[in-house]
Amino acid sequence: MTKKDNILIIGAGLCGSLLALRLGQRGFNVRVIEMRPDLRKVDISAGRSINLAFSDRGIKAIRLVGIQDKAEPLCIPMNGRMIHDKEGNTFLSNYSGRSHEYINSISRGELTALLMDEAEALDNVTIEFNKKCKKIDFENSTATFKDYNTKEDITLNADVIFGTDGAGSSLRKSYYLEKKFLFSFSQNYLTHGYKELSILPTDDGGFKTYKNALHIWPRGDFMLIALPNLDGSFTVTLFLSFDEGEYNFNNLTNPEIVRKFFQKEFPDALELMPNLVEDFFENPTAALGTVKCSPWHYKGNTMLMGDAAHAIVPFYGQGMNASFEDVVEFDKFLDNHKGNWETTLKAYEKSRKKDTDAIADLAIDNFFEMRDHVANPIFQKKRKLEMALEENFPDEYSSKYSLVTFNEDIGYYEAMTRGRAQDKAILNMIADKEIDLNADLKEILKRVQQETNEILEEDQVAKIMHY
Ligand SMILES: Cc1cc2nc3c(=O)[nH]c(=O)nc-3n(C[C@H](O)[C@H](O)[C@H](O)COP(=O)(O)OP(=O)(O)OC[C@H]3O[C@@H](n4cnc5c(N)ncnc54)[C@H](O)[C@@H]3O)c2cc1C
């Protein structure tokens, strides 16, 4: 084991900070370079997914680096989705029929700060700020940064350089632009963008609406969601088309139209948001996209990880969780690392890529589910049945959502394959009126399992026939 290898990490976001901590714990010399100022000293979070849904795959990573007890106080459990209809009625739909399965709302800034503190506490890890990576020579393992303090360029080299510099990764850009090897890359934008808004706390610091849920106002073509923060506020996100529909980001151009839109579509939310107009015009509107690429690595010199390798849309609440899981999965390959980085990076990517491709596709599916299907009666009947199956047969049934979110020991690909087959089975059975919710649940479970297995077998046969 070449423990003294020098590792350079570009980007001290969620993935880069966790990776630095883990590699530091393993004894490597780690230098992290971040473009922005130190978020522990300067408030730089405005308008950029202030809080995130943090669930079992991410928690597994936090456990790996031994800081679960420090992360827990930052979490607000969210047991289910609180659906708000246009009339202001609400109903809570739990994420799972097992009471120990819930997701958490966590502050991006607080979690990143915790990871940075823990990484920096190690003698062999340093983090430097205000230095932007401009280019990477991946043949020679060097990276050039613009130092915003001195205004000078610096070039650093390392045994391995990791690009954890997010969806707009400079390392990925250099792979793509330099055309020195066969690099495949796709970037697909949604027609919808997002804007962050807020529900402020009550005067005495309390929550203006139910604290332990992820609130959703599904409206077919668009939606509003809200996640709680520890200070009693909620971060609210509007997902809306840029240019389609009666109201869209391009035509919400003055306070009257914005208020009219909210009055019509989200009247109960508007009541909680006297600050709506200020937020709306102060905060940026941003695009949402999926990035897939391969290979993630070049020889043994450089490696993409986190959003830099696989940016996904946020509708499964899995982008950070998947980026954290990258570190957990990579860590397994380090157990067998014998000093040959090329072999290690290659083996990791080979095993990991199908799972990150799967969560990218699942996240797109959930875009439609959240904004539309959650309010659909067939979907609600399905959720009710799945909840009953999970409650009554906790060891025998897990919905697709549970497989993805709470089953951290199976990969996203397996969760997707099994989950989709189950969904198809149940929806077909409900549509064909083959399910009587009052019938014997054990019998229903058997039929769902049987139907699911048949679908999985058919899929298997179809796959073989493609070759
Ligand atoms: C609206 C929204 C909501 C989301 N909600 C969730 C959620 O609920 N749950 C969830 O799991 N995920 C969620 N995500 C996804 C999550 O934010 C990302 O998957 C996660 O931030 C990826 O972490 P990362 O470290 O790979 O990238 P980032 O967090 O983007 O970090 C990249 C870091 O690199 C730095 N950097 C960038 N370029 C350079 C450069 N050239 N030189 C030096 N440094 C550089 C950046 O400043 C940043 O600090 C959401 C995303 C969005 C947009």
Side-chain angles (χ1 to χ4, degrees):
M1 193 75 129
T2 53
K3 285 273 184 186
K4 296 238 162 42
D5 275 358
N6 293 315
I7 309 284
L8 178 64
I9 297 180
I10 304 168
L14 289 160
C15 185
S17 302
L18 176 70
L19 181 67
L21 172 55
R22 187 59 192 153
L23 293 180
Q25 289 174 337
R26 277 189 170 266
F28 295 105
N29 292 321
V30 183
R31 186 168 182 182
V32 189
I33 312 275
E34 164 61 42
M35 158 177 99
R36 296 195 295 170
D38 187 343
L39 56 73
R40 294 166 295 183
K41 297 180 184 150
V42 185
D43 180 14
I44 50 171
S45 63
R48 191 172 173 274
S49 59
I50 292 158
N51 57 21
L52 303 150
F54 175 51
S55 51
D56 293 22
R57 292 175 195 272
I59 293 169
K60 184 175 178 179
I62 293 302
R63 229 184 287 129
L64 174 73
V65 292
I67 55 169
Q68 199 185 0
D69 55 331
K70 293 184 183 162
E72 222 169 84
L74 307 177
C75 292
I76 300 179
M78 299 185 289
N79 296 303
R81 296 164 166 165
M82 177 74 84
I83 314 288
H84 297 246
D85 72 13
K86 264 191 176 182
E87 285 68 47
N89 303 310
T90 56
F91 71 93
L92 184 66
S93 166
N94 277 353
Y95 281 120
S96 165
R98 289 171 282 264
S99 58
H100 64 277
E101 290 182 343
Y102 53 84
I103 62 174
N104 301 280
S105 178
I106 195 161
S107 149
R108 176 190 293 274
E110 300 268 344
L111 182 55
T112 311
L114 170 63
L115 292 167
M116 284 180 181
D117 284 346
E118 294 292 318
E120 271 186 333
L122 302 172
D123 290 343
N124 48 335
V125 179
T126 57
I127 310 179
E128 294 157 52
F129 298 90
N130 293 313
K131 295 186 179 109
K132 180 179 176 163
C133 182
K134 286 170 50 179
K135 66 172 196 266
I136 292 146
D137 176 348
F138 47 82
E139 296 277 12
N140 295 305
S141 307
T142 64
T144 302
F145 297 84
K146 169 98 190 167
D147 185 328
Y148 288 140
N149 296 327
T150 63
K151 313 276 182 261
E152 280 173 9
D153 283 359
I154 47 165
T155 298
L156 304 174
N157 74 342
D159 295 302
V160 189
I161 301 176
F162 286 86
T164 53
D165 47 350
S169 170
S170 56
L171 175 58
R172 202 184 61 232
K173 225 172 273 168
S174 69
Y175 282 174
Y176 179 68
L177 292 176
E178 293 200 17
K179 299 188 181 1
K180 288 195 174 151
F181 60 105
L182 297 177
F183 181 65
S184 302
F185 167 60
S186 70
Q187 177 169 287
N188 291 293
Y189 284 113
L190 291 185
T191 51
H192 286 55
Y194 75 97
K195 185 186 280 290
E196 288 197 336
L197 306 163
S198 60
I199 295 173
L200 298 176
T202 57
D203 289 341
D204 56 0
F207 291 86
K208 279 191 187 159
T209 183
Y210 183 62
K211 172 185 170 187
N212 294 110
L214 190 155
H215 293 260
I216 310 184
W217 290 258
R219 296 296 181 263
D221 251 2
F222 49 90
M223 69 172 167
L224 195 67
I225 68 166
L227 276 74
N229 295 309
L230 288 172
D231 66 357
S233 67
F234 287 81
T235 301
V236 178
T237 311
L238 171 64
F239 294 97
L240 180 70
S241 170
F242 281 105
D243 55 10
E244 283 170 10
E246 185 185 354
Y247 294 98
N248 55 56
F249 277 125
N250 288 349
N251 70 20
L252 290 175
T253 50
N254 65 56
E256 290 70 41
I257 305 181
V258 171
R259 253 188 241 109
K260 209 167 136 193
F261 172 51
F262 271 71
Q263 188 61 58
K264 182 174 171 213
E265 299 293 345
F266 314 114
D268 61 333
L270 180 60
E271 266 178 40
L272 307 175
M273 300 167 72
N275 48 314
L276 167 70
V277 167
E278 291 80 14
D279 280 352
F280 197 94
F281 291 103
E282 265 169 30
N283 292 344
T285 308
L288 294 164
T290 303
V291 170
K292 288 183 183 173
C293 64
S294 76
W296 292 338
H297 63 97
Y298 181 75
K299 298 192 174 158
N301 301 352
T302 52
M303 177 80 189
L304 296 165
M305 209 177 267
D307 271 19
H310 47 73
I312 63 178
V313 295
F315 303 105
Y316 232 110
Q318 286 294 322
M320 162 187 64
N321 290 290
S323 300
F324 280 2
E325 196 181 61
D326 282 358
V327 177
V328 174
E329 292 303 307
F330 184 61
D331 189 64
K332 292 181 189 164
F333 287 88
L334 288 179
D335 286 342
N336 295 322
H337 177 62
K338 307 252 178 350
N340 183 336
W341 281 105
E342 185 165 8
T343 311
T344 302
L345 303 184
K346 202 171 182 173
Y348 160 72
E349 178 175 348
K350 189 164 189 294
S351 130
R352 182 71 180 142
K353 174 94 168 96
K354 66 176 184 320
D355 287 321
T356 59
D357 282 350
I359 190 58
D361 296 347
L362 283 164
I364 298 278
D365 290 355
N366 232 33
F367 173 48
F368 298 101
E369 179 166 321
M370 284 176 79
R371 68 179 202 177
D372 200 358
H373 304 173
V374 284
N376 172 316
I378 293 190
F379 179 85
Q380 286 174 8
K381 204 167 172 184
K382 170 173 162 284
R383 281 305 288 165
K384 205 169 148 196
L385 171 65
E386 293 194 294
M387 221 40 67
L389 292 176
E390 288 186 339
E391 258 171 49
N392 289 281
F393 310 104
D395 300 326
E396 288 171 74
Y397 189 82
S398 286
S399 69
K400 182 175 77 187
Y401 188 87
S402 288
L403 291 169
V404 171
T405 310
F406 306 121
N407 281 263
E408 69 276 19
D409 293 327
I410 66 168
Y412 285 122
Y413 180 78
E414 189 185 337
M416 175 181 77
T417 314
R418 208 177 337 144
R420 280 183 175 169
Q422 256 171 212
D423 280 0
K424 200 166 161 187
I426 297 181
L427 288 170
N428 282 346
M429 288 162 77
I430 292 176
D432 296 345
K433 303 206 171 18
E434 285 176 26
I435 288 187
D436 172 3
L437 289 185
N438 301 315
D440 177 24
L441 261 184
K442 183 82 198 171
E443 199 48 43
I444 295 181
L445 174 68
K446 257 171 59 192
R447 293 202 31 224
V448 169
Q449 287 173 331
Q450 200 178 345
E451 187 90 359
T452 302
N453 287 338
E454 279 169 22
I455 292 170
L456 284 170
E457 269 167 34
E458 277 166 25
D459 288 352
Q460 207 49 40
V461 172
K463 233 190 240 162
I464 293 165
M465 284 169 64
H466 273 110
Y467 289 104

